[in-house]
Structures are given as structure tokens and as C-alpha cells.
Amino acid sequence: MTAPYGVSHGYLLLLPPSSTLSLSQLPNPSPPSPSADPPSAKLPSANTPPQAHPKFGIILASSSYDGRVLIWRSTPTTASSTSPSTFQKVFESTLHTASVNLLAWAPHECGCLLACASSDGSISVLEFQDGSWGHVILSGAHGLGVNSVSWAPSARPGSLVSASPEKGALRRFVSGGSDCLIKIWDWSPEQKTYHTTHTLAGHSDWVRDVSWSPTILSKAYIASASQDKTVRIWTSSPTSDPSHPTEWKPVVLKFDAVTWRVSWSLSGNVLAVSGGDNKVSLWKENLKGEWECVKWIEE
């Protein structure tokens, strides 16, 4: 099996089954001689390494089974330098007591925020502000462990066409856990913490992954993948109850195998689903509001 990989800021991120994270600098348009070895760096930990927005510099985060979260920053080099950039650890978080399963950077409009989902049942949100790292810890977020987190767009649905759009970035994310539940969390400036605004039930087994669509049109979408061989696409709609202005209604997609991951396209209108049968399917909503499979990709 090929190791997972990703490309960020000119670096190839390789996640082999070993306990190291390998970063190799991609060649420039005018590459050095073919005999030169590509520069690389080894970073401890092995879970998916997300990268922060470029406005914060070249910053990576990694996590591992020992509960640590590490923040790495690239040391810049001059354009004419042939020496590779190096990554240095600038912060280490030891808030969790079990595996940190997934990391997610918030939209850059919200600030330098990193959400961390852990098997100890808690979620931590790290924030870099005024030259130091602070945190908020959400203990007991999911009783049997948190498997995934995903940030909402920084603007509410419909804000693009609203006559009176809200000011300021929206801090909001969704989490999925081994308690079969999905929870939506909103930031409270007064209490300086996140609180649950919605708990979405329906899955009959572990929620393996959640993904919030990046679209900011009239509706919001959240996809959840579960061990119960289904994917649920939750769509927001307004209500007449002022205390609960939004409700979430699911559409259930059934599969022949366990579903592992869900991921939205950049425009937020196509959903990719991967499962335990080594297949990937692409789904799109039609004009009737029904979700149709538009393509299957098999290994």
C-alpha cells in the first residue's frame, strides 16, 4: 500500500507506517543538478499533518498515539540558497492522555487555531496569539473517544447575499465520536470557551469522520462517515423557534462496506467518500435535493 501523502508550500509530506513524518522539498522550476539529493527532514509522530494558512508562515502540526501535538515552523532560506529549509519544533502540547486522532486548522479569518481530537474523549483547541500558545480543553466531548473534527467556514450560510452580513469571523466546528454522535460547537466570547449547540444522532456505530462543506451559499452541509456502513449528509434549515433557529436534517447514503473518510471539493458541492472496500465514490446534489453518485473509483 502506498503511504499517504500531501503537498504543502512546496513540500511533499509523506506518512509511512513507521513513526516518522518525512518532508521532502519539491524541486524549483529551475532544479539543481540531477545528482543532488532532495533535501528532507524527519519529524516524530505519524498522524495526518495539516498545514496552517500561508499568512502564518510555513507551519505544520503533527500528532501521535502518545497524546502529544507538535507544532513545527520552517526556517526560511534565501531564494539563491541551495541549502534546504529546516523545520524546528516551536511548541509541544501534552494536554491529552491518549492518541490524538486528527488535527484541523481553522479558517485563517478566525486566527491561528488548531483543533485536536483525542481518544481520551476530549477536544483541545490551540491558539497562537500575542506571541504565545494558549488552549481551551473540552473534556468529555465524546465519552468513548473523539475521532474527527472539522471547522465550519468563517461566514454563515447566505452571508454572501445578505443585506446585513455579520461582522467578524465565525468560530465553529463539528466533531464525531465513538459514542455514535455528532456535535456542533460554537465559540462563546463571554465564557471564553466552546459550547455544544447541536447534537446529531442517527448513526448506530462509531462516527469515523466528519467534514463541514466550505460553501457559504444558502445552506450548510456536514457529512459524517460511520462504521455502520452509512454516510449521512446533514443539511441546515431555518426554524421558527428563536431558541433553536437552525435544525439539521440528514440524508442517508448506504454502502456495502464500512465508510472511513468524507471530503468536500473546494467549491463544497461534491462529496468524496472512501470505504473499507478500497473504493472511492463522488456524490452530488441534484436539483430535487437528492444526492446522486456521479463516479466510482476502484483500486
Side-chain angles (χ1 to χ4, degrees):
M1 178 182 293
T2 303
Y5 66 91
V7 176
S8 171
H9 311 319
Y11 287 85
L12 176 66
L13 315 179
L14 183 63
L15 285 84
S18 65
S19 60
T20 60
L21 166 65
S22 180
L23 293 92
S24 295
Q25 193 169 19
L26 297 177
N28 294 321
S30 300
S33 64
S35 61
D37 293 329
S40 62
K42 294 285 185 177
L43 277 62
S45 339
N47 288 351
T48 305
Q51 56 275 2
H53 191 273
K55 70 177 288 186
F56 303 116
I58 303 178
I59 300 177
L60 302 177
S62 62
S63 63
S64 63
Y65 296 109
D66 61 8
R68 293 187 301 158
V69 175
L70 307 179
I71 308 294
W72 307 84
R73 180 186 291 273
S74 172
T75 302
T77 58
T78 61
S80 59
S81 174
T82 59
S83 300
S85 298
T86 59
F87 281 83
Q88 295 182 339
K89 183 176 70 174
V90 295
F91 182 75
E92 178 175 335
S93 170
T94 57
L95 297 170
H96 297 286
T97 59
S99 171
V100 178
N101 301 316
L102 193 137
L103 306 175
W105 291 101
H108 68 89
E109 299 90 347
C110 301
C112 192
L113 299 167
L114 179 69
C116 316
S118 175
S119 292
D120 64 9
S122 66
I123 299 170
S124 64
V125 180
L126 308 179
E127 179 176 10
F128 183 77
Q129 191 176 35
D130 299 327
S132 62
W133 288 90
H135 71 270
V136 172
I137 187 77
L138 306 174
S139 300
H142 292 271
L144 300 177
V146 190
N147 298 320
S148 182
V149 288
S150 177
W151 289 89
S154 59
R156 291 190 183 277
S159 60
L160 284 179
V161 295
S162 174
S164 55
E166 294 185 14
K167 295 183 179 180
L170 180 68
R171 292 190 180 188
R172 196 182 196 192
F173 64 87
V174 61
S175 64
S178 299
D179 54 3
C180 312
L181 297 176
I182 298 152
K183 294 184 179 181
I184 297 174
W185 305 79
D186 275 29
W187 171 253
S188 171
E190 295 80 14
Q191 300 176 2
K192 302 296 183 183
T193 189
Y194 297 84
H195 59 90
T196 307
T197 56
H198 294 83
T199 299
L200 308 180
H203 284 295
S204 59
D205 210 332
W206 289 11
V207 177
R208 289 291 187 180
D209 196 21
V210 289
S211 182
W212 200 308
S213 170
T215 182
I216 53 173
L217 297 178
S218 58
K219 298 179 181 179
Y221 299 92
I222 294 173
S224 56
S226 173
Q227 193 85 11
D228 64 9
K229 301 181 182 180
T230 69
V231 166
R232 289 177 175 252
I233 301 176
W234 307 82
T235 305
S236 68
S237 58
T239 70
S240 57
D241 184 357
S243 62
H244 297 86
T246 304
E247 66 176 347
W248 294 83
K249 297 180 180 179
V251 172
V252 181
L253 309 179
K254 296 183 179 180
F255 294 82
D256 295 329
V258 171
T259 56
W260 292 105
R261 292 287 181 264
V262 281
S263 179
W264 293 96
S265 63
L266 292 177
S267 59
N269 65 334
V270 177
L271 178 69
V273 179
S274 65
D277 54 2
N278 295 329
K279 297 179 181 179
V280 175
S281 55
L282 303 180
W283 298 78
K284 192 171 184 179
E285 188 178 24
N286 61 25
L287 296 178
K288 298 179 181 179
E290 301 168 340
W291 288 87
E292 300 176 330
C293 181
V294 296
K295 188 174 181 62
W296 279 96
I297 305 171
E298 300 186 23
E299 190 175 60

